[in-house]
Amino acid sequence: MYVSKLYVLTDDILTPRESIMAQTKEVLDAGVRTLQLRDKTHSNADLLPLVKAMVALCNVYDARLIINDRVSLALNANAHGVHIGLEDGSLEEVRALLPDALIGVSCYGDLERAKKAQEAGASYVAFGSFFPSPTKPHTKTVPLDIIGQAKATLSIPVCVIGGINASNIHLVKEADMISVVSAAYKPDSITQNIQNLAKGLL
């Protein structure tokens, strides 16, 4: 089963170094084809061998590995893309460094920022948090209707993130990409969790 909309992120606690490769393989085996490495702990030099291995594994599955924030790491590891927020440099600079990569841009609840990102060459834009998030508990939530507004306004894919799980994923299923963190790894096996999330997209 290919779960095309699901976009699974790693996490410093939920995907520790000793198990991240096995967890990544299970995510891929479950049908997910877009993953993001989000690591707030280790240096780029420390992460480089791991990221290269993850890129190689994703290539076997014809999947995409996107790196959160770390543009130079994405470049050096030949990752498939990078995801940037407000603090991560200009989109134009990132696009110049990674001309062929996927570049996602966090837009929070700001549709104008999303329009500017599209004009500047973003591959997709992400909105959220839509629900209280266990991995980012202090993030403000945004209204669900921004998904429809964004879809009507933009021509690039619209991604959603923040507190999405098997019980609420149906509320955001009109998005093109649906990011999950905790819900991919808990409460059951990764395989079972992905299947439960996919059911909400039917």
Side-chain angles (χ1 to χ4, degrees):
M1 180 179 65
Y2 174 29
V3 192
S4 60
K5 285 192 177 193
L6 282 184
Y7 179 6
V8 173
L9 281 61
T10 69
D11 175 81
D12 291 334
I13 294 168
L14 296 169
T15 55
R17 290 295 286 274
E18 62 270 18
S19 61
I20 190 170
M21 285 300 295
Q23 289 172 296
T24 298
K25 185 176 187 302
E26 189 173 354
V27 168
L28 292 165
D29 282 334
V32 174
R33 291 295 175 266
T34 307
L35 296 90
Q36 183 185 121
L37 179 79
R38 182 199 272 172
D39 188 300
K40 305 291 186 183
T41 307
H42 301 91
S43 69
N44 283 358
D46 188 29
L47 285 170
L48 186 58
L50 170 67
V51 176
K52 285 184 173 179
M54 291 177 72
V55 169
L57 181 61
C58 285
N59 285 339
V60 171
Y61 287 81
D62 196 23
R64 309 173 293 186
L65 182 70
I66 295 168
I67 309 300
N68 184 261
D69 296 345
R70 301 168 184 250
V71 177
S72 61
L73 178 61
L75 181 64
N76 292 332
N78 203 23
H80 305 96
V82 67
H83 187 95
I84 58 174
L86 279 174
E87 318 298 326
D88 302 314
S90 80
L91 177 53
E92 291 83 358
E93 290 169 356
V94 176
R95 177 54 78 198
L97 287 168
L98 298 165
D100 301 317
L102 290 165
I103 302 177
V105 179
S106 292
C107 296
Y108 316 101
D110 189 342
L111 197 52
E112 286 304 311
R113 176 175 165 82
K115 291 177 188 175
K116 289 174 183 173
Q118 176 173 278
E119 290 165 9
S123 306
Y124 70 89
V125 288
F127 295 94
S129 180
F130 286 91
F131 310 102
S133 169
T135 55
K136 289 195 171 184
H138 304 296
T139 305
K140 289 193 293 187
T141 56
V142 300
L144 287 166
D145 62 6
I146 199 168
I147 304 171
Q149 293 172 30
K151 292 273 290 177
T153 306
L154 305 169
S155 57
I156 57 175
V158 173
C159 177
V160 293
I161 190 167
I164 297 165
N165 57 42
S167 65
N168 60 30
I169 193 170
H170 65 284
L171 297 172
V172 296
K173 68 179 183 180
E174 68 175 308
D176 302 294
M177 303 165 72
I178 300 173
S179 299
V180 294
V181 189
S182 301
Y185 308 105
K186 299 190 293 188
D188 301 309
S189 70
I190 289 172
T191 303
Q192 187 62 55
N193 294 333
I194 299 295
Q195 288 174 355
N196 291 339
L197 288 161
K199 286 175 188 171
L201 299 176
L202 298 175

